[in-house]
Amino acid sequence: MTRLTNDPKRFADEALQGFVLAHPDHVQRVHGGVVRSTESPSGQVAVVLGGGSGHYPAFAGWVGPGLAHGAACGNVFASPSASQVYSVARAADNGGGVLLGFGNYAGDVLHFGQAAETLRAEGIDTRVLTVSDDIASNTPDQHEDRRGIAGDLIVLKIAGAAAEQGHDLDTVERIARRANARTRSLGVAFGGCTLPGADEPLFTVPDGTMAIGLGIHGEPGISETSLGSAVAVADLLVDGVLAEEPERGVAGYDGRAAVLLNGLGDTKYEELFVVYARVAERLAEAGLTVVAPEVGEHVTSLDMAGLSLSLTFLDPELEACWTAPADTPAFRRGSASGRKRRTEVLDGVARQEVEPGTPDSHRLAAVATEVLRAMAATAGASEQALGDLDAIAGDGDHGQGMVLGSSAALRGAEEALAQGAGVRTLLVRAGEAWSENAGGTSGALWGSALAAAGNALADDRGATGADVVTALCEGAAAILDRGGASVGDKTMVDALVPFTDRLTAAHAGGASLSDAWRQAAAAATDAAAATAGITARRGRARTHGEHSLGHPDPGATSFALLMTTAAAYVGEHTTPTGAES
């Protein structure tokens, strides 16, 4: 349990600040994360990692010569926003291009992907590497669609060494992808972790049992079995990863492997060593040669009790990168020091001043701000319920993410409104703030939706009811395009599509905007409740299949709640611009 906190919602930010102050010789802070405090050679590929907080040493602890050039750091168990990733990458760029590396989770895929698009548009060659080592989360033929867990360290260490060796971006990417293709991990948990400020863990494991195939964001395991001795646990892990060992004598693999036995936050080092003794024995019996093993806490999950085993089946090139020197706050090997300090902290984010909107557009912006205020209040009141719902088959942070996102969007809207913004600029700024502060999949989707809705309106004129309906549909289209989910996948989309279908039909049939919105919100509420009968097919809940049956999807539920709140507000307020027609 995380006992030493101030404001739990600022836990990740305060922890990062303390980390930077504790390691000034290695890192310096920039918007969204950290970069090296030492210089890197001009033209060197910049390896930028990232993900949610709560996993230390991952990811900020791996920044330094021989490994990463920067790390984008999100909230606890939530991906960093696209602008945070962009900022860190810009600060880390040495002119040789950027490799963005992260675990394969939907929110990270969305935000890092958006950042990559922005960097490429500015002429910075950017590649994206998703680590997918968790054998429990998908079948061998779907290796690239698996989750990234402790294998992140091995894959990203190899990528960083390849960059340090002076390879170009094509080569660094090729080596990193081969490392990912050769890496397999399996984990077990004996108890769940507790989010900062929470009183209960995200999941529990009955006494005398262990959960197999856990995630690193507080997700429960895929299955449970009896807890045996350290030998039994070691055998289970070794059997799991060796089941996918490649054929020896092919493609440079001759039975040499990098090995990582990783503690998840609560399991003691001595326990890990007891388990590793059996792991080493089993690997030797299997004829494997262990290369530079690592035993300890490398990718944690706050205070989760458990451990994981990762193997990377090496060829000579991968082995050279795995054993190469590195000097970071949390991972050191050989000698990679002696760099000159950087003298300037860079920030890749530039903001333009708000251009005032016309009176009609500004009045509509004021209405939009009040709608966001009501939505933020609803999110706050529902935080615990949404978190509990998300913990059933996810990581339990959906309520917190919705609060962080909606309250940030409100602040962004208020700041823009105070500067005279029209409705387009105000909603775009609100969307940027939602994505920036919430992180995660929902942060990316809600942020994209608000920005798309804003861009469908204008700063130089008001809006009719038909204009507002069009803007809402554009926001929905952004979610569908960015998230890639369909009706029936048990996501927000299951409530979103019925909402927009009913909204457009009702308004086209002559209903006022407020009446059409109320009908649409009711349809979304019914659809969200109906997701209880669906098995999740996307997102983190996908890996826990049947666990989510009987419970509605948290994303669909929060969408319906916020649209119902907005409907009530729109029903009470009309605008002088005709938006109620």
Side-chain angles (χ1 to χ4, degrees):
M1 181 175 184
T2 306
R3 296 178 176 85
L4 299 178
T5 65
N6 297 311
D7 178 356
K9 291 182 174 58
R10 298 197 66 244
F11 178 81
D13 184 67
E14 291 180 344
L16 185 63
Q17 181 63 20
F19 166 74
V20 171
L21 293 171
H23 297 284
D25 292 339
H26 286 95
V27 296
Q28 58 180 280
R29 194 162 186 183
V30 296
H31 171 71
V34 297
V35 295
R36 294 181 185 178
S37 58
T38 55
E39 293 181 350
S40 299
S42 177
Q44 186 177 89
V45 172
V47 177
V48 175
L49 321 176
S53 299
H55 304 302
Y56 190 84
F59 294 90
W62 300 343
V63 174
L67 217 159
H69 296 75
C73 306
N75 291 315
V76 176
F77 296 167
S79 66
S81 70
S83 70
Q84 289 172 321
V85 177
Y86 166 84
S87 171
V88 173
R90 281 297 305 270
D93 177 40
N94 305 300
V98 175
L99 177 71
L100 300 177
F102 51 91
N104 186 30
Y105 296 90
D108 295 289
V109 171
L110 288 171
H111 287 290
F112 279 86
Q114 288 180 35
E117 292 173 3
T118 303
L119 291 164
R120 291 174 191 137
E122 296 182 359
I124 299 175
D125 193 354
T126 304
R127 313 292 171 82
V128 173
L129 171 73
T130 54
V131 181
S132 54
D133 56 304
D134 177 24
I135 66 173
S137 58
N138 216 320
T139 56
D141 61 312
Q142 297 293 322
H143 173 71
E144 292 187 355
D145 195 35
R146 288 170 163 171
R147 299 179 297 199
I149 52 174
D152 283 358
L153 172 64
I154 303 177
V155 174
L156 298 174
K157 162 62 175 73
I158 288 173
E164 198 70 43
Q165 291 169 0
H167 293 299
D168 63 18
L169 184 57
D170 287 339
T171 304
V172 172
E173 181 186 20
R174 174 182 58 79
I175 292 172
R177 290 193 182 282
R178 191 164 75 256
N180 183 58
R182 293 281 189 91
T183 302
R184 300 291 186 274
S185 300
L186 178 63
V188 297
F190 318 121
C193 60
T194 305
L195 293 174
D199 297 324
E200 301 291 338
L202 292 173
F203 70 91
T204 58
V205 179
D207 290 342
T209 64
M210 61 181 177
I212 302 173
L214 67 147
I216 58 169
H217 299 90
E219 308 99 321
I222 305 299
S223 61
E224 293 182 354
T225 189
S226 297
L227 172 61
S229 63
V231 165
V233 171
D235 286 345
L236 184 150
L237 296 175
V238 170
D239 289 342
V241 294
L242 283 188
E244 297 189 21
E245 180 188 7
E247 182 179 354
R248 298 183 193 181
V250 176
Y253 173 62
D254 63 357
R256 298 174 67 82
V259 180
L260 166 62
L261 189 68
N262 176 65
L264 285 157
D266 187 64
T267 303
K268 304 302 181 184
Y269 271 69
E270 286 85 351
E271 294 177 275
L272 295 176
F273 292 136
V274 170
V275 173
Y276 184 71
R278 176 59 174 174
V279 169
E281 179 184 9
R282 283 291 314 279
L283 295 178
E285 290 174 353
L288 268 73
T289 300
V290 174
V291 178
E294 292 287 337
V295 180
E297 294 182 351
H298 291 280
V299 183
T300 61
S301 185
L302 291 175
D303 61 337
M304 184 183 288
L307 68 161
S308 63
L309 175 66
S310 301
L311 264 65
T312 299
F313 303 104
L314 300 170
D315 59 31
E317 187 173 45
L318 295 180
E319 182 171 341
C321 290
W322 173 237
T323 58
D327 181 20
T328 78
F331 187 92
R332 295 176 184 174
R333 177 173 291 162
S335 176
S337 57
R339 303 291 178 84
K340 292 176 59 178
R341 290 185 62 82
R342 298 175 65 166
T343 58
E344 182 181 5
V345 175
L346 303 176
D347 191 335
V349 176
R351 300 286 290 176
Q352 293 183 340
E353 293 297 319
V354 168
E355 291 287 339
T358 61
D360 281 349
S361 185
H362 184 63
R363 282 192 290 268
L364 190 56
V367 173
T369 301
E370 293 309 310
V371 172
L372 288 170
R373 190 184 312 283
M375 289 168 60
T378 295
S382 307
E383 179 178 4
Q384 186 64 51
L386 291 172
D388 291 345
L389 187 59
D390 189 34
I392 293 168
D395 55 13
D397 70 342
H398 184 66
Q400 181 184 77
M402 292 300 293
V403 170
L404 291 171
S406 60
S407 57
L410 174 60
R411 291 193 300 272
E414 289 174 333
E415 292 170 4
L417 189 69
Q419 297 176 59
V423 67
R424 186 199 70 81
T425 295
L426 182 136
L427 287 175
V428 170
R429 289 291 178 90
E432 291 172 350
W434 192 312
S435 179
E436 173 82 9
N437 288 272
T441 306
S442 66
L445 298 181
W446 276 96
S448 295
L450 281 176
N455 282 319
L457 298 171
D459 288 333
D460 59 0
R461 63 180 182 277
T464 65
D467 292 333
V468 174
V469 170
T470 297
L472 290 168
C473 290
E474 288 297 317
I479 290 174
L480 292 168
D481 179 63
R482 182 66 63 180
S486 302
V487 172
D489 286 342
K490 195 163 189 171
T491 69
M492 182 202 307
V493 169
D494 288 295
L496 172 74
V497 170
F499 175 86
T500 54
D501 286 350
R502 182 66 61 83
L503 180 73
T504 53
H507 195 262
S512 66
L513 176 61
S514 59
D515 287 341
W517 199 314
R518 278 194 294 269
Q519 292 180 43
T525 300
D526 291 342
T531 61
I534 302 175
T535 299
R537 298 201 298 249
R538 294 185 69 89
R540 290 179 187 164
R542 170 183 62 80
T543 57
H544 297 88
E546 302 298 325
H547 289 191
S548 66
L549 273 178
H551 304 279
D553 177 68
T557 301
S558 60
F559 176 83
L561 283 171
L562 267 57
M563 291 303 97
T564 300
T565 294
Y569 185 90
V570 170
E572 296 173 2
H573 295 75
T574 58
T575 76
T577 63
E580 265 296 296
S581 61

